[in-house]
Amino acid sequence: MPRAVSGLPFDDIRNLVATMPGPDEDARAAAAARQGQLVKPPGALGRLEEIAIHIAAWQGREIPVVNRPTVAVFAATHGVASRGVSPYPPEVTKQMVATFTDGKAAVNQICGVFGAGLRVFDLALDLPTPDIVDEDAFTEAECAATMAFGMEALAGEPDLLCLGEMGIGNTTVAAAIFHGLYGGEAEEWVGPGTGATGATLSRKIEAVRTAVDRARGHLDDPLEVLRKLGGREVAAMAGAILAARMQRVPVVLDGYVVTAAAAVLRAMDEHALDHCLAGHVSAEPAHRRVLERLGLEPVLDLGMRLGEGSGAALSIGVIKAALACHSGMATFAEAGVAEG
C-alpha cells in the first residue's frame, strides 16, 4: 500500500481508491471488433457479448480466459445477532463453515460443476463484533486491518474472483449500511434475510433504525459507515474488491450482503465498481433496488437468497459460455459466410 502522510489507517484505503487503474480500452475495442466479426447477427448473443467484452477490458486481452475462477467466502459473527434478528441462532455460522470445509454446502456443488476453487475465510468466529445498536463495529485500525486481510483473496492469482459470505445477522448489518449510505426509512432496507417474519422482522427493523441513528453525524464518510455499522466479512469483501481492482481482476458479486461491501466503495468513487459484475439479483426485496442504484445489471435472476457465494458461483457458467463463444466461434471470413 502507499504510505499514508497522516498515518491514519483509513488513509491507505483512500489512497488506493484514488489510484485505481481503469480498464484496457484497446483490449475493449479489440474485443468489441471481434464480436462484430463473429458468425451471428450483431448483438444476437445479447448479454453474453457484453460480458465477454467486459472481461476482455479488465484482463487486458482481446480474447480473455477464465481458467482459475475462485469463490471466496468470508464468514463472521455479529453481536447484533443476539437481539433475535434472525430465525437462526448465531452458532449456525460456525456450523455452516464446517459444512463448507466438508464440501457439503450448495456452493461446493456449484463450484465443482464449473471448476471453481473455493476459499473460506474464518474471520474470528469466536469473537463477534460489538452489537452495532450500542457500539461501533470496529475501531478505524481494526476496520482497515480487516479490509487488508480481505485482500488475501487475490493471493492465489485468480483470473475471476467471486465473492460470498456467511454470518447470522449480516443482512441486518447490510441493511444498516444501506440505510446509512442512502437514507430513507429502515423498513426500506430490511428484508426477511434467512426468513425473518413477525416479531423477528420487527426486531431487525428496530435494530437497523437504532444503529443508524447512533451513527448520525458520521454518515457522510462511507468508511465511517462501514466502521460503525459493518461486520468483518463486509470489510474484508470491500478489501477484496479493491485489491482485485488494483490487479485488474474482474469481480463477481453475490447477493445483498456482498453488495453492501461494494456500495461502500462505490460511495467513495463512482467508478469503483467498474470491474464488477452482479452475479445475480437475490430475493431480498431491496437488492434489486440497490443494484439499480449502483448501475449493475444482474447476470441471473433465479429467486435465490442463500448467500455463501452461490449466485456468484452459478454465474461462472454463463461467463465461461460467453468467453467460449467469444474465442471459439468462427468469423464470417473464416467460415466463408456472407455478412448481412
Side-chain angles (χ1 to χ4, degrees):
M1 284 187 182
R3 184 176 298 276
V5 174
S6 70
L8 296 175
F10 278 158
D11 286 350
D12 284 337
I13 304 299
R14 293 191 175 98
N15 288 344
L16 285 176
V17 170
T19 58
M20 293 183 300
D24 185 323
E25 294 298 345
D26 290 339
R28 186 196 299 278
R34 177 173 175 79
Q35 281 289 329
Q37 298 165 5
L38 299 180
V39 282
K40 58 180 176 56
L45 284 177
R47 187 76 191 283
L48 296 185
E49 299 182 17
E50 297 173 13
I51 290 171
I53 294 169
H54 173 87
I55 302 295
W58 287 101
Q59 288 191 352
R61 57 178 80 183
E62 176 186 348
I63 301 180
V65 296
V66 169
N67 294 326
R68 299 186 310 280
T70 294
V71 178
V73 178
F74 293 89
T77 48
H78 302 267
V80 74
S82 66
R83 292 183 176 269
V85 295
S86 169
Y88 293 92
E91 55 264 29
V92 168
T93 300
K94 290 185 71 172
Q95 293 165 357
M96 283 305 303
V97 168
T99 305
F100 300 148
T101 303
D102 291 342
K104 299 298 185 181
V107 69
N108 298 96
Q109 317 319 312
I110 297 170
C111 286
V113 169
F114 298 117
L118 176 64
R119 299 185 66 191
V120 181
F121 293 83
D122 174 337
L123 297 166
L125 295 182
D126 291 322
L127 184 65
T129 46
D131 180 354
I132 60 171
V133 171
D134 298 323
E135 301 178 52
D136 295 341
F138 305 99
T139 64
E140 181 172 332
E142 290 168 343
C143 190
T146 305
M147 294 180 75
F149 180 79
M151 295 177 181
E152 292 298 316
L154 278 296
E157 299 185 352
D159 48 26
L160 183 74
L161 179 65
C162 300
L163 295 178
E165 43 64 38
M166 179 63 214
I168 297 301
N170 66 9
T171 57
T172 301
V173 165
I177 289 172
F178 290 126
H179 185 24
L181 290 175
Y182 302 143
E185 301 296 328
E187 291 85 347
E188 298 176 48
W189 306 108
V190 177
T194 54
T197 59
T200 302
L201 184 60
S202 296
R203 288 191 292 269
K204 189 175 182 180
I205 292 169
E206 184 59 26
V208 169
R209 179 186 296 116
T210 307
V212 173
D213 284 345
R214 182 187 59 77
R216 293 201 187 280
H218 302 271
L219 302 179
D220 58 341
D221 183 341
L223 288 176
E224 282 293 294
V225 172
L226 176 61
R227 182 180 78 79
K228 289 179 170 292
L229 302 173
R232 291 191 185 95
E233 75 274 63
V234 181
M237 291 187 295
I241 294 168
L242 183 54
R245 176 59 169 268
M246 302 309 290
Q247 297 182 33
R248 288 194 174 94
V249 175
V251 170
V252 183
L253 308 174
D254 193 47
Y256 195 58
V257 179
V258 177
T259 308
V264 170
L265 298 176
R266 175 63 168 72
M268 296 178 69
D269 187 297
E270 63 178 345
H271 297 293
L273 305 181
D274 286 0
H275 62 308
C276 296
L277 294 170
H280 77 130
V281 57
S282 80
E284 188 73 358
H287 190 215
R288 189 181 302 274
R289 188 164 71 251
V290 168
L291 291 179
E292 290 172 354
R293 188 182 278 264
L294 297 178
L296 295 171
E297 181 183 355
V299 174
L300 300 172
D301 183 357
L302 299 175
M304 298 171 65
R305 56 180 180 86
L306 179 61
E308 68 186 45
S310 55
L314 196 58
S315 72
I316 293 172
V318 176
I319 294 168
K320 283 191 168 186
L323 300 189
C325 291
H326 183 76
S327 63
M329 287 178 66
T331 64
F332 282 101
E334 290 167 346
V337 176
E339 297 186 48

